[in-house]
Amino acid sequence: MAAVRELTPGSTRDRTRYSRHRDRRENRMTAIAAGQHNGLVTVQNILLSGVVGSTAYGLAREGSDVDRLGLFAAPTETLLGLRSPKESHVTTAPDRTLHEAAKWCRLALGGNPTVMELVWLPDELYEVRTALGDELIGIRGSFLSSQRVRDAYLGYATQQFRKLESRGGDHRTAKHARHLKRLCHQGLQLYTTGRLAVRVEDPDEYHRFGDAVAADPGAARSLLAHYETAFAETRSALPDRPDEGPAEAWLRRVRAEFYDTAA
């Protein structure tokens, strides 16, 4: 049996290999530790996670839920067998959604507003941020395309409108109205500038709008119509199609990072 050489910093070549080995090991240990909650590992290999939802938008008030979103890497060898690993983990208390890296990329390439905000959060809202997570933030613009952003954001806004229409003016109506306005505003901003500002500029304006819609749902209908026209008449800064190349290359690095060749 061939002897196994311990990797130590000797020659220039060995120092380079040792550095890469150390960085890879540290990155994996950071990701594994990030999966711990209350001392118990729930999901391993979390690459990026942060506080999203009303807290991130600046719309939270006393009693608001704190929502968390993140992505993780399934051990690569589990992707090679008969049964694929679970692609999403959703928990309550705490409210947290974690998507497997490939699923997150597919959703982001489709323009999904909920997953997209993860890579545009203010720095202080990240709770887990590994080197691979930073790489993902660095390629966030490649996931964007004009048609998918328009369809996704207006589609989600329309869903909020239908929810508030079906309610009888209760407190949930105001919440749906706030999110309708946010989706329209953020979507148009992303469509026209290529950048997403997660935190809204004037939270009180959104709360006033929610209260107005709770009293008169017609206010929401006119707002939605206004943004539908704005999308139709505004030139987008985004390409017609997303660039899948950076996401594909990133995923391959993730798979290499979490492939245990000794397994």
Side-chain angles (χ1 to χ4, degrees):
M1 180 180 295
V4 177
R5 185 164 74 93
E6 180 69 20
L7 192 61
T8 58
S11 66
T12 300
R13 181 180 179 184
D14 277 354
R15 283 197 298 271
T16 301
R17 292 176 62 200
Y18 178 79
S19 177
R20 289 175 180 170
H21 173 78
R22 181 195 60 204
D23 291 347
R24 180 177 179 183
R25 181 181 60 199
E26 290 178 353
N27 190 58
R28 292 190 66 176
M29 291 307 296
T30 299
I32 290 171
Q36 296 181 355
H37 178 67
N38 291 338
L40 298 175
V41 174
T42 53
V43 179
Q44 292 189 343
N45 306 338
I46 297 177
L47 306 179
L48 192 67
S49 179
V51 176
V52 295
S54 296
T55 301
Y57 311 141
L59 298 175
R61 289 190 169 177
E62 186 176 355
S64 295
D65 295 331
V66 177
D67 300 310
R68 290 173 169 84
L69 175 67
L71 60 94
F72 68 97
T76 302
E77 54 269 24
T78 67
L79 302 171
L80 306 177
L82 289 173
R83 295 175 178 82
S84 298
K86 190 173 182 179
E87 285 197 305
S88 295
H89 296 269
V90 181
T91 61
T92 57
D95 295 327
R96 185 176 71 168
T97 298
L98 297 170
H99 295 304
E100 209 285 319
K103 180 177 181 179
W104 187 94
C105 287
R106 292 194 300 270
L107 290 171
L109 287 166
N112 184 291
T114 304
V115 303
M116 184 58 66
E117 67 188 55
L118 178 62
V119 289
W120 294 89
L121 291 176
D123 288 345
E124 66 271 16
L125 292 182
Y126 287 109
E127 296 179 322
V128 178
R129 189 169 176 173
T130 66
L132 284 166
D134 274 336
E135 287 185 32
L136 187 64
I137 292 172
I139 62 171
R140 61 191 179 186
S142 65
F143 289 91
L144 304 173
S145 62
S146 56
Q147 181 176 347
R148 293 181 186 181
V149 165
R150 180 184 66 240
D151 291 349
Y153 277 83
L154 280 180
Y156 272 58
T158 300
Q159 288 179 20
Q160 295 298 317
F161 177 70
R162 290 172 179 164
K163 287 179 181 179
L164 67 87
E165 259 197 332
S166 67
R167 309 191 74 89
D170 60 12
H171 71 284
R172 299 288 294 181
T173 301
K175 178 179 179 179
H176 293 314
R178 290 194 297 273
H179 288 303
L180 183 155
K181 180 178 175 64
R182 175 190 58 79
L183 285 162
C184 287
H185 177 76
Q186 289 181 336
L188 185 62
Q189 179 189 54
L190 186 58
Y191 184 79
T192 56
T193 70
R195 298 190 63 81
L196 176 63
V198 173
R199 185 161 288 149
V200 303
E201 293 182 1
D202 186 355
D204 288 340
E205 177 186 346
Y206 286 76
H207 282 281
R208 288 193 297 270
F209 177 75
D211 293 339
V213 170
D216 177 16
R221 184 183 298 276
S222 60
L223 180 96
L224 185 58
H226 165 77
Y227 276 98
E228 287 173 342
T229 300
F231 270 100
E233 296 180 350
T234 303
R235 183 175 180 177
S236 179
L238 302 177
D240 293 335
R241 297 181 59 82
D243 181 2
E244 296 185 359
E248 183 72 31
W250 179 80
L251 269 175
R252 289 179 184 275
R253 289 194 293 276
V254 170
R255 299 311 182 212
E257 184 78 16
F258 294 99
Y259 180 47
D260 185 357
T261 56

